[in-house]
Amino acid sequence: GIQVEQSPPDLILQEGANSTLRCNFSDSVNNLQWFHQNPWGQLINLFYIPSGTKQNGRLSATTVATERYSLLYISSSQTTDSGVYFCAVQTNQAGTALIFGKGTTLSVSS
Amino acid sequence: GAVVSQHPSRVICKSGTSVKIECRSLDFQATTMFWYRQFPKQSLMLMATSNEGSKATYEQGVEKDKFLINHASLTLSTLTVTSAHPEDSSFYICSARGIGRVVAEAFFGQGTRLTVV
């Protein structure tokens, strides 16, 4: 099956810093989503981005489907950005389910 | 975005009993729903895929007789953990995708934290 690798596994930042999270995947995808899991476990949809670039406030994401990677940018990080960020992909071969990477745990301190 | 509601958010049950978890799509019709399990500090692992009106498809290693899934309508899927044991304690999350405003993007419920004592 498809492999989804996220890096780095852990990231510690001071408030105000910028960061880049990476997601590599091993096969062609027709769906890629970024999520933020808050401390209560809720998955928050950040981006639906099978290709191209999107921005939403301090967050932006870019997926280069031909090179099989996606990047999530967080600018001017805040303590509320802390949590786990997951990348998840869907391929035709995998049916219709999203397959998740292991996540990046972000800790932002004030 | 679309709203997926999961209930209960937290449940504690005795070993040997059964627990039912509901997953509802509130503002769209979900032709397909997915159930995931997440152990502490780990990623989400797909357990099964259910399509409205048909039998669920289980991932390898997931016991279909233990984790009963019913997708009886386009807005409701249920997961029943039968004869629960302490090793079934986990965070269960449902996801829905379907017809309506957004076709391909998946949305998730709030999750259910199951503790079996």
Side-chain angles (χ1 to χ4, degrees):
Chain A
I2 189 168
Q3 303 298 312
V4 184
E5 296 182 358
Q6 291 187 243
S7 60
D10 300 282
L11 189 56
I12 300 173
L13 299 174
Q14 284 285 101
E15 205 168 23
N18 302 329
S19 61
T20 301
L21 282 58
R22 187 177 180 101
C23 173
N24 292 333
F25 42 95
S26 60
D27 202 351
S28 300
V29 299
N30 57 22
N31 180 12
L32 186 146
Q33 293 183 236
W34 283 97
F35 298 91
H36 175 211
Q37 188 169 39
N38 66 23
W40 297 272
Q42 173 78 57
L43 282 173
I44 309 299
N45 286 44
L46 297 178
F47 293 103
Y48 165 64
I49 187 166
S51 63
T53 297
K54 291 185 177 180
Q55 181 159 3
N56 184 2
R58 295 182 296 104
L59 302 181
S60 63
T62 296
T63 297
V64 183
T66 53
E67 297 186 20
R68 298 182 182 171
Y69 73 89
S70 183
L71 303 173
L72 176 68
Y73 305 97
I74 304 174
S75 64
S76 303
S77 58
Q78 301 175 357
T79 56
T80 52
D81 295 331
S82 296
V84 184
Y85 290 81
F86 287 106
C87 165
V89 303
Q90 173 201 334
T91 68
N92 289 333
Q93 289 75 24
T96 55
L98 284 175
I99 304 302
F100 282 74
K102 293 186 176 180
T104 292
T105 301
L106 174 64
S107 298
V108 182
S109 58
S110 57
Chain B
V3 179
V4 177
S5 177
Q6 191 172 335
H7 177 81
S9 59
R10 185 181 299 266
V11 59
I12 301 174
C13 71
K14 290 185 177 181
S15 187
T17 61
S18 297
V19 173
K20 180 183 284 188
I21 302 169
E22 292 187 348
C23 179
R24 294 180 184 273
S25 56
L26 297 187
D27 55 357
F28 67 104
Q29 292 181 315
T31 51
T32 307
M33 287 188 172
F34 310 92
W35 289 94
Y36 293 81
R37 180 167 53 185
Q38 185 181 31
F39 291 108
K41 299 194 183 300
Q42 294 188 21
S43 186
L44 281 75
M45 299 300 296
L46 179 68
M47 297 175 66
T49 300
S50 72
N51 292 293
E52 185 265 338
S54 63
K55 289 185 178 181
T57 302
Y58 291 82
E59 295 300 298
Q60 191 172 5
V62 177
E63 300 175 56
K64 63 180 181 180
D65 294 331
K66 180 169 191 58
F67 299 100
L68 301 179
I69 293 172
N70 187 318
H71 192 161
S73 76
L74 285 173
T75 59
L76 174 64
S77 177
T78 60
L79 168 68
T80 301
V81 183
T82 63
S83 187
H85 288 101
E87 56 265 32
D88 299 324
S89 298
S90 187
F91 191 60
Y92 293 87
I93 312 176
C94 71
S95 170
R97 178 188 291 127
I99 58 177
R101 290 180 293 165
V102 178
V103 175
E105 186 174 3
F107 294 88
F108 285 76
Q110 307 94 315
T112 297
R113 195 165 303 279
L114 171 64
T115 303
V116 184
V117 297

